[in-house]
Amino acid sequence: MSVSVYLNEPKYLNAGESCLVVEFADEIDRGANDAVMNLKKYLMSRKDIPIVECLPTYRSLAVYFDPTAVSAEEVIAAAKSAPRGGGENDGAANTEIEIPVCYGGEYGPDIANVARHAGISEEEVIRRHSAVSCHCYMIGFMPGFAYLGGMDESIAAPRLANPRTVIKGGGVGIAGKQTGIYPIDSPGGWQLIGRTPLRLFTPEASRPTLIEAGYEVRFVPVDEDQYKKIEAEVAAGLYVPVITEAK
């Protein structure tokens, strides 16, 4: 996808008296998303600007601040002073997390649909889905739901014509060129190809969401016995996710 015309000159949009939206692109773009993540990191590191929270999306950053302590103009000035990268993956060292997935069968009831749509075997769907890391552009839809891009586009598939009323938490699905993981039981229309035994959203934890915007996600195929073993370890609080922190 081409880089948006706004990437080198962000737009600054007021969203109420305590929120500023910095828009880097007018379409989904990895270079713009890297710019979003870089700005978030920079602003949160500024001790002289009272930033309350920064919420990233595919192509913009919502910056919440204390309007009694700082003006929107000062926040804009701080944002404009942030170092600019050269685009996609420019010097980026993103945190990578491994997500074990049991594919097919009761865990991935739509994998046959995806295989037929791609004209390949179910085994090849699994191989292609787990062969590359996927980038988490944003968290949305529900707490902990990671929108992941960078999936092998040969296994892209349309959403279900009739969405399910309940999808079990941990379900790994495909919708168009994206893949994602349902963090909790919920309705949904993505094509389910597998399930992870990990908990994606733990509200009582100090860090409630397992995956965060900017992470790289690597899917690791496991069989049913491995799935159940990990599931038991997660329930007992013994499982430690494989996370490689950015340097």
Side-chain angles (χ1 to χ4, degrees):
M1 183 175 290
S2 61
V3 176
S4 166
V5 294
Y6 296 139
L7 185 57
N8 294 319
E9 189 56 45
K11 286 185 174 182
Y12 300 93
L13 309 170
N14 287 318
E17 64 177 11
S18 61
C19 180
L20 173 75
V21 175
V22 185
E23 189 175 86
F24 287 91
D26 58 357
E27 59 186 16
I28 297 174
D29 181 274
R30 174 60 192 273
N33 192 252
D34 282 345
V36 167
M37 300 305 170
N38 288 337
L39 179 59
K40 175 186 176 182
K41 182 178 179 180
Y42 174 76
L43 289 177
M44 295 304 292
S45 72
R46 288 281 299 261
K47 304 303 182 185
D48 57 323
I49 301 292
I51 302 299
V52 176
E53 187 176 18
C54 288
L55 295 179
T57 73
Y58 282 106
R59 57 189 183 86
S60 64
L61 183 70
V63 183
Y64 292 88
F65 57 91
D66 181 356
T68 66
V70 66
S71 68
E73 290 73 21
E74 290 173 299
V75 176
I76 291 173
K80 287 184 175 180
S81 70
R84 296 284 183 85
E88 182 174 346
N89 297 321
D90 178 54
N94 297 323
T95 297
E96 183 178 86
I97 183 169
E98 293 185 6
I99 302 295
V101 179
C102 187
Y103 288 92
E106 67 175 286
Y107 302 100
D110 302 318
I111 196 169
N113 297 342
V114 175
R116 279 194 299 269
H117 189 268
I120 56 179
S121 67
E122 294 181 18
E123 290 73 19
E124 183 62 14
V125 170
I126 296 170
R127 190 193 70 78
R128 296 184 189 185
H129 188 259
S130 59
V132 296
S133 293
C134 292
H135 178 71
C136 180
Y137 279 85
M138 60 177 283
I139 302 296
F141 173 52
M142 67 179 71
F145 190 101
Y147 285 90
L148 306 175
M151 181 188 73
D152 188 326
E153 293 186 6
S154 68
I155 56 173
R159 287 173 169 81
L160 295 173
N162 297 303
R164 292 180 171 89
T165 56
V166 178
I167 291 175
K168 186 174 177 61
V172 177
I174 291 175
K177 299 176 182 178
Q178 296 183 108
T179 187
I181 313 168
Y182 287 88
I184 57 177
D185 294 359
S186 72
W190 291 35
Q191 301 268 5
L192 298 179
I193 62 171
R195 191 189 306 157
T196 179
L198 303 190
R199 292 185 68 184
L200 278 293
F201 178 58
T202 310
E204 68 273 15
S206 58
R207 196 186 77 180
T209 57
L210 181 62
I211 300 172
E212 298 183 4
Y215 275 25
E216 301 299 314
V217 176
R218 171 77 69 170
F219 294 104
V220 179
V222 297
D223 61 27
E224 188 170 19
D225 287 342
Q226 292 172 306
Y227 176 97
K228 291 181 176 179
K229 179 177 182 294
I230 295 172
E231 185 179 45
E233 291 175 350
V234 170
L238 301 176
Y239 185 82
V240 179
V242 179
I243 300 177
T244 303
E245 297 289 351
K247 301 299 183 182

